[in-house]
Every structure is written in C-alpha cells, then in structure tokens.
Amino acid sequence: MSSTAVLVSAGLDSAVLAAFEARTSHVHPIYVSAGLAWEAEELVALEQLLATPPFASLAPLARLMFTVRDLYPATHWALRGEPPAFDTPDEDVYLAGRNIVLLTKASIYCAQQDIERIVLGPLAGNPFPDATPQFFESMSRALTLGLAHEIRIDTPFRDKDKSDVIRIGIDLGVPLDLTLSCMKPEGGLHCGMCSKCRERRDAFTEAGMPDQTRYAVQPAR
C-alpha cells in the first residue's frame, strides 16, 4: 500500500477522513500544534480516538509545532479561548493562514519520511481562501519545488457536507462520540455554545442519526 499523510485534529471530519484513507493507504496521521486555546483538550481526545479499532492500522501520530501566537494578537479569540457566538457565520471563525501553516510543516515532515501525498478535510461550501482547489494546486507545486520532493495535496471530502461525512463515518465504524468539534471544550465536553457545536448538531440532524455528543450546554434548536 502507498503511504498517505492525513492532517488530523480530533474533529469529526478529519477522523472520518483518516479511517476513509486507511482502506487503501498506509496512513500517517499528523497533528500540527499552532498554540490555539483548545489544543490540549483536542490532543487528549485524539489520542483516545486513535486507540480505537478503526485506526489500528495507522502509523503512530506525528506531533509537529508551528505557532501562530506571534502572528495573532494576544486578544484573538482563538488564543483566549472565547469563540464567536453560536449563530455566527463561518467568516467569523476564520483563522488566517491556517492551511498554509498546516501544509507547510506537514510537507517538510513528509519530504523527510518519503511520503508524497497529503490529505486534509475541507468540506463543500468552505468559504476560506486557503481552502480552494486553486490554492491547493498552487501549494502542491510550490512545496514540490521548494522541497525537491513530490507533494500532492488532496481533499477527498471537498464535495461533501458534514452530514455526508457522518454517514461515511458510521459505515466505517468510527466512534463519532469520541470526536471533538468545539472551540471551547472542557473536560472532554463540547461547550454547546459555539458555531462548531451548532454545525455538529445540525449535521447529525440532517444525517438522520442520533447525536451522542456530550455537550456542557445542550445546543438550542
């Protein structure tokens, strides 16, 4: 089997993506710490998730660091752990350069490990400038040139909604209740008050599947 690097958080989308890729590739999961407020909780959840059967064939988790704490102001919501409100649009939670940071560090790692393919999990309707097909194509070319090593960036879920990903995850046996899609988690609980919790709740409803997520505050309907 060929090797593929998967950029993972503990989030629902990347967890399902890792299991999806493991059907046909030897998956190397990569977590890039950027100094954001929720990362400690995220890493605890990720370690628990990767210990479950759907991820048994994965390589050990590679933990990399590329801080944005010297780029974002100290008052930035993602550093303070105070995300925008429940009903805010995606644009309000944009993290400038997020995919640039992730792909740059991951690609250097992949060049050292002789891995040519990197996948990550943006979904349909992603509005951010570093999640377009043009960006990923250009980034692939630039990283290949800069590292003198072939880098291919793929986004297998780019035409899917989160409800589609939930259905795929259930088919693959991913324990979705162990995933963490929250910008203010505490003690393994989703806050239930941020827009990521809203997206998660809505996606389970759209998928017609029970939401077994533990919320500190049950999201409003």
Side-chain angles (χ1 to χ4, degrees), residues 115-131:
I115 300 169
E116 295 185 352
R117 183 170 177 263
I118 303 175
V119 302
L120 66 167
L123 305 182
N126 188 307
F128 303 140
D130 60 353

Side-chain angles (χ1 to χ4, degrees), residues 202-217:
D202 291 351
F204 274 100
T205 300
E206 291 167 11
M209 300 297 178
D211 183 4
Q212 298 180 346
T213 305
R214 296 188 304 146
Y215 296 103
V217 176

Side-chain angles (χ1 to χ4, degrees), residues 2-219:
S2 60
S3 292
T4 293
V6 179
L7 284 166
V8 296
S9 60
L12 192 154
D13 303 334
S14 68
V16 174
L17 180 60
F20 181 82
E21 288 294 322
R23 301 169 312 148
T24 55
S25 297
H26 181 42
V27 168
H28 295 252
I30 299 177
Y31 182 92
V32 181
S33 296
L36 304 177
W38 55 81
E39 289 178 353
E41 291 269 352
E42 196 169 57
L43 278 165
V44 170
L46 180 58
E47 294 285 1
Q48 293 175 343
L49 187 64
L50 293 179
T52 62
F55 306 101
S57 66
L58 272 60
L61 178 67
R63 291 181 53 179
L64 310 178
M65 298 180 66
F66 194 152
T67 186
V68 297
R69 298 189 74 87
D70 52 357
L71 296 173
Y72 297 173
T75 56
H76 194 287
W77 65 266
L79 303 185
R80 292 186 297 109
E82 296 293 339
F86 185 78
D87 57 354
T88 53
D90 283 344
E91 289 77 3
D92 285 0
V93 295
Y94 174 51
L95 295 173
R98 175 74 165 154
N99 284 341
I100 297 172
V101 165
L102 298 178
L103 288 168
T104 299
K105 198 64 180 273
S107 294
I108 297 170
Y109 174 86
C110 287
Q112 294 172 338
Q113 302 296 319
D114 197 26
I115 300 169
E116 295 185 352
R117 183 170 177 263
I118 303 175
V119 302
L120 66 167
L123 305 182
N126 188 307
F128 303 140
D130 60 353
T132 66
Q134 295 87 348
F135 166 77
F136 292 124
E137 291 166 9
S138 297
M139 197 71 172
S140 294
R141 291 195 300 270
L143 290 166
T144 295
L145 288 171
L147 293 168
H149 175 82
E150 180 73 23
I151 295 291
R152 301 193 311 278
I153 300 171
D154 286 337
T155 52
F157 290 170
R158 64 185 176 275
D159 297 323
K160 300 188 182 302
D161 296 321
K162 191 176 289 287
S163 57
D164 299 320
V165 175
I166 287 172
R167 296 186 189 98
I168 294 169
I170 290 172
D171 287 344
L172 294 174
V174 176
L176 299 180
D177 58 309
L178 296 183
T179 63
L180 183 66
S181 310
C182 178
M183 294 178 285
K184 195 178 180 180
E186 185 172 352
L189 294 177
H190 287 69
C191 72
M193 300 179 67
C194 70
S195 60
K196 293 300 180 185
C197 285
R198 184 203 73 227
E199 289 175 5
R200 184 183 178 98
R201 177 213 64 184
D202 291 351
F204 274 100
T205 300
E206 291 167 11
M209 300 297 178
D211 183 4
Q212 298 180 346
T213 305
R214 296 188 304 146
Y215 296 103
V217 176
Q218 190 64 30

